[in-house]
């Protein structure tokens, strides 16, 4: 990239950060004018009354739990019944008495249904869980604990950093991990997208847990210029992008399922050039470029039929402009 | 302009968000505890041996500096959380994010994300872009010289072929400008949620994306004159989504509205014809430039005619509006009903271009002012599920989608082919519509120590307008088993499917865009694979188990097979088998090791028949292609973390080995077929290492190194050049590279 643009980008990024911090600092005083709800100060011993005993033996866990999302909820609400140690591990009296690993619920050792029941006591009314029951993950015994870690300070496994979220999905979906390594791919391994950009692991109304009602609606989120509708349509495009593309990764240009021109020839066996064979004899070589046919090299059919997703040009019934 | 507007939007939203923070971070109560963990300042260095864009296709590792920031603030009552994140700040792939959460009340998320997409570097264009960026122009003297040279060749009754044209154009290519083809997405997002955790909450989301740059576009003046150009991309997409969520003891429901607007600042692209400075037309102009003299008879054929300028209708502005609702009703403690419904309207009404700019053609008047396109999608899905005693779970799903294009059908008396020839063949637009209905029933049984067994049956029905089939129906049956057998985790699934279509396969569908059908020119034996009868099998099995107490092993085997058994032509088969192994090991405290390997073996077969002016009936004209693609991927990694050190080493290797076997019976046309062994062969090796050392509890230094080596041998890019028979190409470099990238960093914590 040109040096001036590098400097420009660095400056614009720094300006963004500076603007954010300045805006925050300057406006904080003005915000004091907004009426505030006086929050009840948590009773000092609320967390400790539960966790002190637990911390005697499990200090690291309790300490990490304090600043976890569950720990924050518990300490903010001051409600003993919510998100404390015992709300997941059960009554600890006998466990404390015994002083060993017995008489305590260890969620990771429970059945899938029992784990789900534990978490859903509080989380069943999350919008995110609307379609969990009956979802493919639920039916296949994937539990909350397979993806989420309760004690980690920042829920490392449920993840803020997309690279880690993707690695989590790859633990079961190894085939997708390999697909993502192919030469034509969405920017998942670069960290600009992750599995959750397209899929909802908690379930959705579609078979593959898509975050939209159909494949095309999902693709249109980023590829808005393909939405149309167009004057001249390419029918399979309007029905399903996956007729031609394979979203996880491909050996071919533009995530095509098969390379052009052969991809097009799977549907177009017309007279003249669409149905003609383009084989090795039509490929250019350094010694003899005249052997090359513009219907097989570079982008083949799409070099002429470039408006392959649809066109508004009155003279483009063949999607050439 | 787009970029400035985006920046102003971001800063404005941020200021608004900061003003909305009741209490703020400097107010009296409650106090905020801020931690900066981490602030990372990194210096980058890159050394790459080629100009290929592939190494930085979606990222920015160029020389310079970048910032990573993780700032968290937590109020002492644990009720307010602030998070600020910066990733790769200052780079083309920078991400900036802010979240502010007031427990049980509201939350705000802001983000600004940059995503580059580089298509190729150092391409060549004979053209220069005008100030408005909507035209690629060649200097008139060049056009005039090239046209004159062709005219002279014709006058001298000499052939115009690749050798001749190449000799003309090379001197101009030698001094042509170079261009890096690529685009940048800049995404701004703001999300405000009110009433969090309560019985009713509202969510307002705003998204804006500016996409600027270029990408490869195939423009063409005819069969012998592909003129690949960088398409100017100046896209703007804005989305606003308002939704509400309501919860009650027996369920949850969400409803909302979304509006999305796409705008293209460059809706029409004009481009000069390298070979013509004046307009002309003749019946063969679509094959220009080409001219041959038959040495035996002296007759000539071909043309050097055509338009001096072409124009391409780029993506039109469009709108999408959607009302949606979804939710769940808990019918009893053990049964539920889920639903999802949406009505979405798509419309597009860009002004229509004229039929042609070729002044030598008297084209029909353009009777329509604008596109006037409108379609809608109706969607409804309902799921019923219940659990019964004995570990049974039942599920019944119904899904319905209806895409209906209600646009008026526009007809013209003809069209101008490749800007060169008026074809007086009346054409009419075809508003494609379809609907889909799926019914699924599933039954799962908990077998206690034997895991969970599940059966699912599904019927998937499509109805289509203006296609070859009116209705296709696919029946699928799947059996799955998931079990923890002792220490081992076993998962298996098998699915089989059978699809067919009702009634006849109507080849007449191809004539839908002709006002006066001219006759079928597609092979009667062709079956388009999206509608063709087919049998399918999908299966996979994986076993995960500990080995020798310290290793975790997962082995898997799977595959899919699609057999288009009633298709004489078109796609006839697609089969994949994949298998792999993962091995992980914990290496004491803070240490881990993993290695994995996978192979995927895919075979695709298709058939066709070569025809002249009418569909061939000679089976000797058949041709067949079998593609074999073998993909191997391998990964290995080691990590170790102590109080003062963090180290990580990773290696990855990806290989694709593809082959196309092509055959045709002798005696017909094409008379044998010749395959090729470079059906997308590539290898990529990536090695990386990271080392960080804590100097004090607040300061650490670190070093990262990345090495990648990528080679590719692909038939579609084999021996490409800027000018090849019938094609003037950008030929930007997205090919092989070997690259080193290093980063030195200072990491701070406060």
């Amino acid at each position: 990239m040109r040096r001036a643009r590098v400097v420009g980008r660095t400056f614009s990024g720094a300006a963004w950060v500076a603007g954010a911090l300045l805006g925050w600092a300057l406006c904080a005083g003005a915000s004091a004018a907004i009426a505030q709800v006086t929050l009840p100060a948590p009773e000092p011993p609320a967390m400790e009354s539960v966790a002190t005993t637990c911390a005697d033996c499990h200090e690291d866990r309790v300490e990490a739990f304090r600043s976890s999302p569950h720990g924050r909820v518990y300490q903010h609400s001051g409600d003993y019944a919510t998100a404390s140690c015992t709300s997941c591990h059960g009554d600890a009296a006998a466990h404390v008495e015994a002083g060993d690993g017995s008489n305590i619920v260890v969620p990771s050792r429970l059945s899938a249904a029992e784990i789900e029941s534990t978490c859903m006591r509080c989380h069943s009314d999350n919008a995110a869980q609307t379609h969990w029951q009956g979802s493919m993950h639920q039916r296949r015994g994937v539990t909350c604990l397979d993806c989420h870690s309760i004690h980690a300070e920042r829920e490392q496994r449920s993840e803020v950093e997309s690279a880690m979220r993707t690695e989590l999905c790859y633990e079961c979906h190894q085939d997708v991990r390999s697909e993502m390594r192919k030469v034509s791919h969405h920017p998942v391994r670069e960290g600009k997208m992750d599995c959750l950009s397209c899929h909802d692991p908690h379930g959705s109304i579609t078979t593959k847990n898509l975050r939209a009602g159909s494949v095309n609606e999902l693709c249109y989120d980023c590829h808005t210029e393909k939405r149309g509708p167009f004057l001249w349509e390419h029918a399979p495009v309007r029905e399903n992008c996956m007729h031609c593309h394979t979203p996880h990764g491909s050996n071919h240009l533009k995530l095509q399922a098969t390379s052009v021109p052969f991809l097009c020839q799977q549907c177009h066996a017309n007279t003249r050039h669409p149905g003609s064979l383009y084989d090795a004899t039509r490929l250019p070589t350094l010694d003899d470029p005249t052997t090359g046919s513009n219907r097989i090299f570079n982008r083949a059919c799409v070099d002429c039929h470039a408006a392959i997703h649809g066109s508004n040009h009155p003279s483009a019934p063949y999607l050439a402009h | 302009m787009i970029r400035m507007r985006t920046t102003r939007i971001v800063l404005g939203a941020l200021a608004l968000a900061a003003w909305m923070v009741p209490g703020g971070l400097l107010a009296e109560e409650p106090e905020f505890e801020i931690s900066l963990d981490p602030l990372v300042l990194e210096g980058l260095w890159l050394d790459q041996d080629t100009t290929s864009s592939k190494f930085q296709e979606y990222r920015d590792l160029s020389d310079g500096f970048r910032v990573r920031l993780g700032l968290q603030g937590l109020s002492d009552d644990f009720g307010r959380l602030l998070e600020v994140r910066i990733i790769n700040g200052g780079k083309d792939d920078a991400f900036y994010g802010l979240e502010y959460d007031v427990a049980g009340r509201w939350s705000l998320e802001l983000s600004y994300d940059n995503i580059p997409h580089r298509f190729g570097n150092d391409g060549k264009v004979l053209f220069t872009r005008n100030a408005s960026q909507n035209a690629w122009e060649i200097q008139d003297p060049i056009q005039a010289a090239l046209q004159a040279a062709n005219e002279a060749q014709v006058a001298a009754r000499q052939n115009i072929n690749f050798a001749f044209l190449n000799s003309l154009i090379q001197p101009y290519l030698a001094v042509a400008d170079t261009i890096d083809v690529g685009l940048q997405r800049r995404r701004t997002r703001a999300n405000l949620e009110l009433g969090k955790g309560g019985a009713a909450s509202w969510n307002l989301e705003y998204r804006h994306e500016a996409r600027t740059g270029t990408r490869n576009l195939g423009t063409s003046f005819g069969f012998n004159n592909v003129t690949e150009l960088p398409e100017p991309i100046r896209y703007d997409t804005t989305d606003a989504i308002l939704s509400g969520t309501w919860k009650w003891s027996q369920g949850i429901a969400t409803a909302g509205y979304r509006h999305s607007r796409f705008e293209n600042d460059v809706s029409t692209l004009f481009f000069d014809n390298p070979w013509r400075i004046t307009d002309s037309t003749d019946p063969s102009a679509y094959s220009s430039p080409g001219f041959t003299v038959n040495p035996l008879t002296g007759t000539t054929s071909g043309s050097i005619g055509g338009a001096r300028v072409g124009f391409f209708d780029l993506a039109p502005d469009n709108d999408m509006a959607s009302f949606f609702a979804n939710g769940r009703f808990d019918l009893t403690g053990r049964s539920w009903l889920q639903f999802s419904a949406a009505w979405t309207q798509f419309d597009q009404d860009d002004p229509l271009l004229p039929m042609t700019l070729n002044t030598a053609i008297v084209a029909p008047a353009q009777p329509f002012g604008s596109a006037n396109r409108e379609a809608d999608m109706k969607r409804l899905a309902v799921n019923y599920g219940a659990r019964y005693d004995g570990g049974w779970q039942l599920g019944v799903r119904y899904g319905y989608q209806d895409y209906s294009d209600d646009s008026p059908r526009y007809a013209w008396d003809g069209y101008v082919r490749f800007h060169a020839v008026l074809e007086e063949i009346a054409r009419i637009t075809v508003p494609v519509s379809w609907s889909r209905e799926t019914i699924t029933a599933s039954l799962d049984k908990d077998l206690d120590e034997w895991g969970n067994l599940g059966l699912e049956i599904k019927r998937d029905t499509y109805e289509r307008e203006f296609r070859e089939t009116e209705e296709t129906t696919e029946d699928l049956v799947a059996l799955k088993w998931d079990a923890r057998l002792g220490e081992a985790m076993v998962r298996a699934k098998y699915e089989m499917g059978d699809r067919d279509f009702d009634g006849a396969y109507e080849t007449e569908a191809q004539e839908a865009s002709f006002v006066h059908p001219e006759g079928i020119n597609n092979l009667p034996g062709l079956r388009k694979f999206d509608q063709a009868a087919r049998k399918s099998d999908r299966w996979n099995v994986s076993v995960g188990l500990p080995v020798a107490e310290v290793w975790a092993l997962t082995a898997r085997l799977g595959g899919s097979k699609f057999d288009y058994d009633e298709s004489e032509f078109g796609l006839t088969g697609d089969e994949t088998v994949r298998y792999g192994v993962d091995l992980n090991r914990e290496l004491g405290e803070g240490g881990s090791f993993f290695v994995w390997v996978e192979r995927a073996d895919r075979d695709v077969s298709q058939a066709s028949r070569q025809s002249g002016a009418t569909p061939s009936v000679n089976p000797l004209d058949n041709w067949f292609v079998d593609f074999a693609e073998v993909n191997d991927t391998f990964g290995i990694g080691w990590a170790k973390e102590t109080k003062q050190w963090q180290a990580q080493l990773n290696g990855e290797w990806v290989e694709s080995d593809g082959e196309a076997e092509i055959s045709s019976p002798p005696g017909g046309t094409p008379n044998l077929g010749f395959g090729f062994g470079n059906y997308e062969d590539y290898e990529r090796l990536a090695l990386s290492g990271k080392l960080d050392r804590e100097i004090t509890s607040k300061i650490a230094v670190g070093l990262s190194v990345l090495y990648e080596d990528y080679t590719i041998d692909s038939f579609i890019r084999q021996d490409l050049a800027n000018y090849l028979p019938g094609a003037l190409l950008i030929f930007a470099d997205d090919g092989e590279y070997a690259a080193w990238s290093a980063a030195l960093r200072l990491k701070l914590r406060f």
Side-chain angles (χ1 to χ4, degrees):
Chain A
M1 299 297 286
R2 304 291 181 258
R3 187 168 295 279
R5 273 180 265 161
V6 170
V7 171
R9 283 196 306 278
T10 306
F11 178 75
S12 70
W16 198 98
V17 173
L21 294 174
L22 180 63
W24 155 58
L26 289 176
C27 295
S31 67
I34 298 173
Q36 299 179 44
V37 172
T38 302
L39 298 166
E43 297 168 19
M47 175 72 181
E48 283 69 27
S49 68
V50 172
T52 301
T53 308
C54 305
D56 284 349
C57 297
H58 305 287
E59 184 180 352
D60 288 348
R61 292 279 186 172
V62 171
E63 199 51 42
F65 182 73
R66 280 181 189 278
S67 47
S68 73
H70 283 106
R72 288 201 307 272
V73 166
Y74 174 57
Q75 292 167 95
H76 174 64
S77 69
D79 184 350
Y80 171 87
T82 64
S84 67
C85 308
T86 55
S87 54
C88 295
H89 292 284
D91 192 330
H95 171 69
V96 171
E97 179 88 25
D100 57 21
S102 64
N103 296 300
I104 195 72
V105 175
V106 182
S108 59
R109 295 187 199 148
L110 298 177
S111 69
E114 287 167 332
I115 293 172
E116 182 186 306
S117 170
T118 303
C119 303
M120 287 303 179
R121 274 210 302 271
C122 299
H123 292 288
S124 65
D125 63 352
N126 281 14
Q129 314 302 335
T130 300
H131 300 293
W132 170 253
Q133 299 293 352
S135 67
M136 188 54 72
H137 277 153
Q138 183 268 320
R139 290 180 53 220
R140 300 212 64 177
V142 177
T143 73
C144 312
L145 297 185
D146 286 324
C147 298
H148 298 282
S149 168
I150 310 306
H151 299 115
E153 180 180 339
R154 292 170 66 84
E155 280 198 313
Q156 295 293 320
R157 292 196 73 202
S158 75
E159 268 346 303
V160 175
E161 300 294 334
S162 65
M164 292 186 68
R165 283 210 293 219
T166 308
E167 294 301 318
L168 178 63
C169 302
Y170 290 161
E171 286 182 16
C172 293
H173 300 281
Q174 297 100 345
D175 55 334
V176 177
R177 176 182 58 191
S178 298
E179 294 286 295
M180 291 288 182
R181 263 72 176 166
K182 288 181 173 175
V183 64
S184 180
H185 60 282
H186 278 110
V188 173
R189 62 174 194 253
E190 291 84 357
K192 302 312 292 185
M193 287 176 72
D194 62 16
C195 307
L196 274 66
S197 303
C198 299
H199 299 277
D200 187 343
H202 299 125
S204 82
I205 216 70
T206 66
T207 312
K208 299 289 186 181
N209 288 346
L210 299 182
R211 286 192 175 277
S214 65
V215 167
N216 280 37
E217 285 176 79
L218 181 65
C219 303
Y220 293 157
D221 247 10
C222 294
H223 302 283
T224 46
E225 75 277 17
K226 311 273 189 308
R227 275 198 299 234
F230 295 94
L231 209 63
W232 304 106
E233 292 280 15
H234 191 188
V237 169
R238 205 47 61 211
E239 189 178 298
N240 192 334
C241 305
M242 289 178 63
H243 283 323
C244 296
H245 298 283
T246 174
H248 292 139
S250 171
N251 295 326
H252 314 293
L253 294 173
K254 305 287 188 185
L255 291 168
Q256 291 162 12
T258 302
S259 183
V260 289
F262 306 100
L263 174 63
C264 310
Q265 292 179 308
Q266 288 175 359
C267 286
H268 296 282
N270 308 62
T271 53
R272 303 185 193 274
H273 76 269
S276 296
L277 173 62
Y278 301 101
D279 65 357
T281 61
R282 313 298 292 276
L283 293 171
T285 63
L286 283 178
D287 293 334
D288 188 6
T290 61
T291 55
S293 166
N294 61 11
R295 289 163 185 162
I296 185 172
F297 62 66
N298 201 50
R299 296 177 334 128
C301 316
V302 192
D303 269 336
C304 283
H305 301 277
I308 199 69
H309 298 106
S311 172
N312 257 16
H313 197 301
S315 284
Y318 293 112
L319 305 177
H321 5 275
Chain B
M1 284 302 293
I2 295 173
R3 188 174 177 178
M4 280 302 299
R5 186 168 75 207
T6 301
T7 306
R8 281 198 287 266
I9 289 170
V10 169
L11 292 176
L14 193 59
L16 176 64
W19 180 84
M20 287 177 68
V21 173
L25 297 179
L26 300 180
E28 297 177 14
E29 287 278 331
E31 295 285 329
F32 253 90
E33 188 180 310
I34 303 282
S35 62
L36 195 65
D37 186 11
L39 171 63
V40 181
L41 305 169
E42 270 184 314
L44 296 176
W45 167 81
L46 171 65
D47 181 37
Q48 185 177 318
D49 66 343
T50 70
T51 58
S52 173
S53 65
K54 200 66 176 170
F55 179 64
Q56 297 192 83
E57 182 177 10
Y58 288 117
R59 57 188 172 183
D60 185 358
L61 295 173
S62 56
D63 292 353
F65 295 94
R66 68 184 178 190
V67 172
R68 185 154 51 94
L69 174 80
L71 181 150
Q72 191 183 64
L74 187 60
S75 64
D76 60 3
D77 69 346
F78 302 97
R80 288 173 178 77
L81 175 69
L82 170 72
E83 286 196 23
V84 178
R85 283 188 301 142
I86 298 175
I87 301 170
N88 297 340
K91 290 295 192 181
D92 284 345
D93 56 356
F95 172 86
Y96 308 91
L98 178 148
E99 289 181 42
Y100 190 77
D101 184 283
V102 179
R105 294 180 61 192
W106 59 273
S107 69
L108 177 69
E109 290 175 48
L110 300 173
S111 66
Y112 181 59
D113 196 8
N114 295 267
I115 307 173
H117 192 172
R118 308 186 212 276
F119 299 108
N121 290 338
D122 282 358
K124 272 198 177 170
V125 281
L126 279 187
F127 303 75
T128 53
R129 201 155 33 175
N130 67 345
S132 305
Q133 297 193 14
N134 68 343
W136 284 101
E137 297 163 338
I138 297 179
Q139 295 171 38
D140 285 355
I142 297 177
Q143 283 181 291
L146 293 174
Q147 178 174 323
N150 279 329
E151 288 171 341
Q153 194 77 346
V154 169
R157 295 175 65 82
Q158 298 293 313
N159 290 341
I160 292 177
N161 51 27
F162 169 73
F164 172 72
L165 296 169
N166 193 41
S167 69
L168 290 180
I169 209 160
Q170 283 301 330
Y172 299 109
L173 283 171
V175 296
D177 288 337
T178 58
I179 185 169
D180 296 339
V181 185
L183 59 82
Q184 182 80 6
R185 290 179 186 256
R186 294 183 180 82
R187 294 178 165 174
T188 309
R189 179 176 175 266
N191 191 80
L192 177 67
E193 187 176 352
L194 299 170
K196 278 187 71 167
S201 62
W202 289 93
N203 202 84
L204 177 62
E205 184 177 354
Y206 168 84
R207 291 189 235 159
H208 177 263
E209 179 186 86
R211 222 184 314 174
T212 54
T214 54
R215 68 180 166 204
N216 299 66
L217 177 69
T219 68
S220 176
F221 289 94
F223 290 170
N224 204 31
N225 194 357
V226 165
T227 312
E228 190 185 40
L229 288 168
E231 176 189 351
I233 305 288
R234 286 174 56 181
Y235 295 166
D236 227 47
T237 305
T238 307
D239 285 69
I241 307 166
L242 176 66
S243 65
T245 299
W246 297 270
K247 305 172 193 175
W248 62 97
S249 59
Q250 249 106 34
I252 182 171
T254 299
Y257 173 75
R258 174 183 176 187
H259 190 92
S260 177
R261 169 104 180 125
F262 166 78
E263 288 179 352
N264 184 357
D265 270 10
V266 184
S267 59
T268 308
L269 176 68
F270 301 92
F271 46 97
D272 283 345
N273 185 346
W275 306 102
R276 292 213 58 89
I277 188 75
T278 57
D279 285 328
S280 74
T281 184
D282 64 64
S284 300
Y286 63 86
S287 63
S288 167
F291 183 77
T292 52
V293 182
N294 186 316
L296 297 175
T297 63
T299 54
T300 61
S301 62
S303 168
I304 58 168
R308 68 172 182 82
V309 63
F311 60 135
F312 199 111
D313 202 327
L314 299 178
D317 297 353
N318 67 63
D319 285 274
M320 185 188 87
S322 180
F323 290 95
F324 59 90
N326 63 76
R328 186 189 74 239
F329 302 102
D330 297 320
L331 302 175
T332 67
R334 301 170 73 182
S335 64
W336 57 89
L337 187 70
Q338 299 164 4
F339 76 94
S340 174
W343 178 77
T344 304
Q345 185 170 59
F346 303 92
D347 61 79
Q348 179 264 118
D349 196 21
D350 249 24
L352 288 188
L353 296 172
M355 304 284 282
T356 185
L357 298 177
N358 186 336
T359 57
I361 295 175
V362 180
Q366 172 60 274
F368 308 107
S370 65
N372 191 17
R373 302 290 100 184
E374 188 176 289
D376 69 71
M377 168 82 98
K378 293 178 272 290
R379 178 167 53 79
L380 172 69
V382 179
N383 292 1
Y384 169 78
R387 290 201 180 97
Y388 302 98
D389 288 342
W392 293 94
Q393 179 171 327
L394 171 74
V396 179
R397 294 177 166 231
Y398 174 80
Y400 181 73
Q401 296 174 3
D402 183 287
Y403 179 84
S404 182
D405 190 335
D406 300 318
S407 310
R409 299 190 72 182
Y410 283 179
W412 288 267
D413 293 334
Y415 65 97
V416 177
R417 194 177 186 191
F418 289 123
H419 319 287
V421 185
L422 174 64
E423 303 282 5
E424 292 180 287
I425 302 170
R427 304 300 295 263
I428 185 168
T429 60
V430 182
V432 173
S433 300
W434 56 270
S435 67
R436 183 184 187 190
E437 187 177 60
T438 56
I439 303 173
T440 312
S442 63
L443 190 63
D444 299 285
K445 173 77 170 84
D446 188 340
L447 303 172
D448 296 324
E449 67 268 22
W450 289 103
N452 191 292
L453 191 66
L455 174 71
E456 182 177 284
I457 55 175
K458 179 177 177 179
R459 169 158 281 201
D460 195 350
T461 305
Y462 273 91
E463 288 184 7
R464 301 175 173 92
E465 263 189 80
F466 298 111
R467 299 297 309 281
E468 286 76 7
T469 63
E470 285 192 5
E471 182 176 299
T472 58
T473 302
E474 186 168 29
D475 292 316
L476 298 124
V477 177
L479 196 63
K480 64 160 187 72
W481 180 49
D482 303 283
R484 196 174 292 279
L485 304 176
E487 297 278 354
M489 182 73 218
V490 179
R491 296 191 185 279
K493 184 174 180 182
Y494 174 71
E495 178 188 276
M496 57 184 283
D498 192 335
R499 183 176 77 188
D500 207 343
F501 51 86
D502 274 6
Y505 185 91
E506 302 288 350
T507 53
E508 284 78 11
Q510 69 185 283
E511 297 179 312
S513 69
F514 291 86
V515 174
H516 310 292
E518 296 186 325
I520 309 302
N521 66 14
N522 232 335
L523 293 170
L526 170 75
R527 295 292 179 265
K528 299 194 176 182
F529 64 84
D530 61 331
Q531 302 162 81
R534 76 170 182 198
K535 297 202 172 28
S536 63
D537 296 272
R538 276 179 264 223
W539 56 279
N540 61 75
V541 61
S542 73
V543 177
L545 72 165
V547 174
E549 291 186 5
V550 292
W551 294 93
L553 170 75
T554 309
R556 65 204 161 271
L557 185 60
S560 64
K561 184 175 178 184
F562 299 94
D563 190 1
Y564 297 85
D565 50 346
E566 295 180 20
S567 300
E568 184 184 0
F569 301 116
L571 180 65
T572 54
D574 189 341
E575 182 175 357
T576 302
V577 176
R578 57 174 76 241
Y579 42 95
V581 170
D582 274 56
L583 210 51
N584 295 276
R585 179 177 173 166
E586 298 299 316
L587 300 171
E589 190 156 333
S592 64
F593 171 80
F594 69 85
V595 62
W596 57 269
V597 61
E598 171 153 316
R599 166 164 281 201
D601 209 320
R602 182 181 179 215
D603 290 293
V604 175
S605 58
Q606 64 186 81
S608 191
R609 178 181 288 170
Q610 186 158 319
S611 300
T614 55
S616 169
V617 295
N618 182 3
L620 296 182
D621 294 338
N622 288 358
W623 53 267
F624 308 91
V625 185
D626 288 292
F627 298 111
E629 298 174 66
V630 179
N631 277 85
D632 291 313
T633 42
F634 170 80
I636 190 167
W638 168 86
K640 180 72 179 174
E641 184 172 335
T642 66
K643 198 168 181 324
Q644 282 193 312
W645 292 93
Q646 288 176 4
Q648 212 178 85
L649 293 172
N650 285 293
E652 194 172 283
W653 176 69
V654 179
E655 184 185 27
S656 171
D657 185 3
E659 196 175 316
E661 278 187 20
I662 301 178
S663 63
S664 179
T669 309
N671 190 28
L672 301 181
F674 296 89
F676 41 87
N678 54 348
Y679 182 63
E680 320 296 11
D681 295 347
Y682 60 86
E683 281 184 30
R684 185 174 61 85
L685 171 69
L687 301 170
S688 65
K690 283 173 67 170
L691 187 64
D692 287 88
R693 191 191 192 281
E694 205 169 274
I695 309 297
T696 70
S697 62
K698 290 184 169 31
I699 302 174
V701 293
L703 172 70
S704 298
V705 177
L706 168 67
Y707 172 75
E708 276 194 22
D709 192 314
Y710 168 68
T711 58
I712 183 164
D713 181 14
S714 162
F715 78 103
I716 211 161
R717 11 165 2 109
Q718 170 179 309
D719 294 337
L720 287 183
N722 286 113
Y723 190 67
L724 282 174
L728 182 62
L729 305 175
I730 301 172
F731 192 34
D733 186 4
D734 67 339
E736 304 182 345
Y737 63 82
W740 282 98
S741 168
L744 199 58
R745 62 181 157 273
L746 177 68
K747 199 170 176 180
L748 306 170
R749 287 196 187 91
F750 299 104

